Structures are given as C-alpha cells and as structure tokens.
Amino acid sequence: MPAATIRTLSHDSQQRRLLICTAAALAVHALMILGLPRWGNVGRPGLGTSALVTRMIAPAAPAQKTESPEQPAAPEPSPPVEKPVEPVTPAEPKPLPVPKPTEAATSKAVQPKKPTERKETTQSAIATPPSGGATGAAGAGSDVEPSILSLPPPPQFGPFPGTTPVELRPTDADAATALASIKSAGDAPTLLPQPAQVTYRAKGTVGGTPVDVPSKLLWRHDGTYYESQWIFYQARLGEQSRFANGLVTPQGLAPLAASFRTKGDVSMTFDHPGDRLNFAPELSEWKMLPGTQDRLSLLVQLGALIAGDPKRYPPGSTITLPIAVPNPPSVLEWSFVIDQEEQTIEGMAGKPLRTIHLTHEPANATDARMELWLAPSLEYLPARIQVTEANGDLLDFVVQQAFGIQVLRPIPVTSPK
C-alpha cells in the first residue's frame, strides 16, 4: 500500500479516537449535570425521559420561647432584731470606813457663820403670810374657781411692770410696832392675791366733766412688803392717782405711807410706834386705830379677809375697818355689807365674772359711798368699783384685763465691817 494512503488512514483513525474521546467526555459531563436517567419511566407515555426537579426548602420556624410564669420576688430578708441590752446596775460601792476624828481635828473644826441680818429690818421681825398664790385665793371658797391671774400675760411693749423689787426699808422698831398694831385689830386670817396688773374702764362725771378713760391697778408684793398704785388720768382733770405701801402680815396689810396725787397732793404717814396718823400738807394729826387702812389698801384688804375664810363672811354680814380719809383729813370707820346674792359682771371682753357685792354707805355728810364687786377668779381683787363722792362726782370702774406679774425680792443689805 502506498505510503500516502497509510498516512491518510492513520490520520482518520486519530480523528475518530478524538471524536470518541470528545463524545465520552461530553457524556460524562451530561451525566454529571443532568443526573442518571430514570429507567423506570422509559416507555411510559406522557412522561419525559429526563427532568430537572427543584423545590423550595422552607426555613425551619423559630422555636417559640416558652415563658414560664413569673415567680414572686423573694422578700428581702428583714434586718436582724437586736435584743435590748438590759442595763447592768453597777454594784453599790461599799462605803469606806470613816476614821475616827482625833481630838486635835475636833478642836479645829470650823463653825458655820450666822446669816447676815438686814441692817434696817430683819426677816425675823416681818412675818410672811402662807403662800396661796393663784390657786390659794381662787380655791379659798366652797367652789374652786380657776384664777385669771395664773394665765400668761399679754405681749407688752416697753419695760414690763412690776419686776423691780418693792423699795421699802422700815426700821425694826416701825416693823415690830406695825405687826403688833394690826394683830390687836383681830385674829381674822387673810389670803392675799398674787401680784397683778388690772386694767379698768372708768366712766362717769368729775366736776361736771364727762369721763371715759382707762385706769389701772398695779398691785405688787414680795411676801414681806407691798406697794399699790391706782393710775387715773384725764386730759381736762389731770391726774388723780393713789399710792400706798406697807408691810405684809398674817392679818393682811399694815400701811406705812399713802398719798393722793391731785392738783393739791395729800400724803399720809402711819406712825405705828406713836399710834398717830400724820397728814400733809395740812400738818394735821389723828389718832390711828388698830388695823387702819388707806382707801387704796382697803381694796386689797377686804378681798384678803374674804379669801382667808369665806365662811366667816356669809351673805348679810358686815366688815368694818378704820379708814384714813384725805379730804378732809380724818379717820372714819367704814362698814361694808355683803349682799345676799352673788352678782355677775360683764367684763374681760364680755366674759362674765362671778362676784361678791359689798356696799359702804356714807358715815357722814363729807363721806363717800362705795360699792365693790370682788371676783374669786381675780383672787378677790375688784372686778368693778363705783364711787360716789359727797360733792356728787361719780366714777364707775369695770375690769377690762388682768394678769399676774412677778416681783423680784430685794437684795439683802449687809452691815459694813
């Protein structure tokens, strides 16, 4: 066979092998892509020999979180309760043995000094009345009535009244004779009201002039001495005030001096050692009876007698006291008759006050008529006073305000060494 023919055949066989390899490679790739044929479906009508089937795979639903019911929160632990520690009572120390004093120590012991006596008036010469104060005077009667003077005082502007000591320094001789004089007047017990300031409304006529002004009673004592002031002033009439001071005794007040301040001042001096009552400026002199009072001290003395023993003065009874009268100067016996029935006074901003009514009728043509309404709630200080003078002047005082005050005791005076 020619050489050209052999080369042609060799070339053809190589091409066939290349085609076969190519077809085999394509078949392998087709199988890999299309998958193996479904032999069971071959020959069934209506079905393809091969198909690519796809499906959606739904993602799995998230698992629902099962919520368990909330458990109640555990209560907070309470703090531990501390048991109170019982106080340990320390054992009482045993007293140390006291050594017996030697004779030398006994002989050198310092003796206490005697209290320094007041130069002018010793405390032993002046008797102090039993302390009654606010409750004593109010409860002296059968019916206990609270004292208005025990209430706190209202606000004050300026210096408060009554806090300064009572400035009175009688000699020992005057004090002793004053005590003896009033003691001879009787043994009736007394109970003084506590220091107080009482404000009144004064209405009436004086010398034909209408009067409607405030007036004030300032009553002060320290258990040994007392002083009293009745302040009255009217623009057209001027001042018509009264002042008094003296000793506090078991029988009540023992005046030492008194004055009536008007256009023509009148003063009175109680000379207990001489039993004389001296008036000025008239320079007249009168015999002083035991228990003599001035018109201002009288207002407190009457209430102190009734407060000391209310059963001693029943309705209809009479209390008689010698009174020093300045115009004209004289000493008269004033008798006060206690009314059969108690009366009520509208005072203290409309507050009704139960009172005991006393009346003094004039002893002569120059004497004054006086009516008093003493209130237990004021510790038997007057709730109302009505005075009718011999010349026709009339003043009616009705209480408006009352409160207790404090009085400082005087500083003892020591004798120079």
Side-chain angles (χ1 to χ4, degrees):
M1 183 176 279
T5 302
I6 295 172
R7 285 195 298 266
T8 301
L9 291 175
S10 174
H11 179 73
D12 290 339
S13 60
Q14 290 178 353
Q15 289 182 346
R16 284 196 295 273
R17 285 196 295 268
L18 180 62
L19 289 175
I20 292 171
C21 289
T22 301
L26 291 174
V28 171
H29 281 82
L31 289 176
M32 292 177 63
I33 296 172
L34 300 179
L36 296 176
R38 299 181 179 179
W39 303 109
N41 292 335
V42 177
R44 291 185 181 181
L47 295 177
T49 56
S50 65
L52 179 64
V53 179
T54 63
R55 61 190 179 97
M56 291 289 297
I57 301 176
Q64 295 183 357
K65 185 178 180 181
T66 304
E67 296 182 358
S68 59
E70 296 182 359
Q71 298 293 333
E76 297 181 359
S78 58
V81 179
E82 297 182 0
K83 295 183 179 180
V85 180
E86 297 182 357
V88 179
T89 303
E92 297 182 357
K94 297 182 179 180
L96 297 176
V98 180
K100 296 183 179 181
T102 61
E103 294 181 359
T106 306
S107 61
K108 295 182 180 180
V110 179
Q111 300 297 330
K113 296 182 179 181
K114 294 183 179 180
T116 304
E117 295 181 349
R118 186 177 297 171
K119 179 180 180 181
E120 294 159 338
T121 304
T122 59
Q123 190 68 24
S124 60
I126 308 300
T128 302
S131 59
T135 58
S142 57
D143 298 331
V144 177
E145 189 167 349
S147 172
I148 295 175
L149 304 184
S150 300
L151 301 177
Q156 297 286 323
F157 297 95
F160 193 83
T163 55
T164 57
V166 177
E167 297 296 337
L168 185 62
R169 296 292 185 274
T171 63
D172 291 347
D174 289 342
T177 53
L179 291 174
S181 174
I182 193 171
K183 188 176 182 180
S184 63
D187 59 349
T190 59
L191 185 60
L192 294 174
Q194 65 173 302
Q197 176 177 300
V198 186
T199 304
Y200 299 85
R201 193 72 188 179
K203 296 182 179 182
T205 56
V206 177
T209 302
V211 174
D212 187 356
V213 295
S215 187
K216 180 174 65 177
L217 169 64
L218 185 59
W219 156 248
R220 306 171 62 239
H221 76 90
D222 58 10
T224 302
Y225 310 116
Y226 81 90
E227 66 179 17
S228 188
Q229 303 177 21
W230 189 287
I231 308 301
F232 178 89
Y233 178 83
Q234 206 268 350
R236 295 183 61 183
L237 300 174
E239 185 177 9
Q240 295 192 9
S241 302
R242 296 179 183 271
F243 304 87
N245 60 45
L247 304 177
V248 173
T249 76
Q251 288 76 35
L253 304 182
L256 295 177
S259 62
F260 181 34
R261 184 177 298 173
T262 60
K263 294 179 180 179
D265 293 352
V266 179
S267 63
M268 295 168 282
T269 303
F270 293 75
D271 182 8
H272 290 278
D275 289 334
R276 308 302 293 176
L277 185 60
N278 301 315
F279 291 87
E282 289 83 357
L283 299 179
S284 60
E285 189 177 273
W286 287 76
K287 180 175 176 56
M288 186 172 61
L289 302 176
T292 300
Q293 303 287 321
D294 62 273
R295 282 181 56 165
L296 180 53
S297 300
L298 167 72
L299 303 179
V300 179
Q301 179 70 7
L302 283 172
L305 287 169
I306 298 176
D309 187 3
K311 296 181 180 179
R312 192 182 184 115
Y313 310 98
S317 60
T318 301
I319 302 177
T320 301
L321 295 172
I323 305 299
V325 181
N327 294 318
S330 60
V331 177
L332 301 176
E333 287 193 348
W334 278 21
S335 297
F336 288 85
V337 179
I338 300 177
D339 201 346
Q340 294 289 342
E341 296 181 0
E342 294 181 347
Q343 298 185 16
T344 301
I345 297 298
E346 294 292 337
M348 305 284 291
K351 179 179 179 180
L353 300 176
R354 181 175 66 89
T355 64
I356 299 174
H357 182 219
L358 298 86
T359 304
H360 161 68
E361 297 295 342
N364 54 38
T366 61
D367 195 11
R369 184 179 189 272
M370 180 181 288
E371 292 184 77
L372 298 175
W373 287 262
L374 306 180
S377 60
L378 294 178
E379 300 184 17
Y380 290 91
L381 287 173
R384 181 184 177 189
I385 306 172
Q386 189 177 89
V387 181
T388 305
E389 300 292 347
N391 62 0
D393 292 347
L394 184 146
L395 285 175
D396 193 1
F397 304 86
V398 180
V399 65
Q400 302 296 311
Q401 187 184 64
F403 55 87
I405 58 179
Q406 184 181 7
V407 178
L408 301 178
R409 293 192 64 86
I411 300 174
V413 178
T414 58
S415 302
K417 295 183 179 180

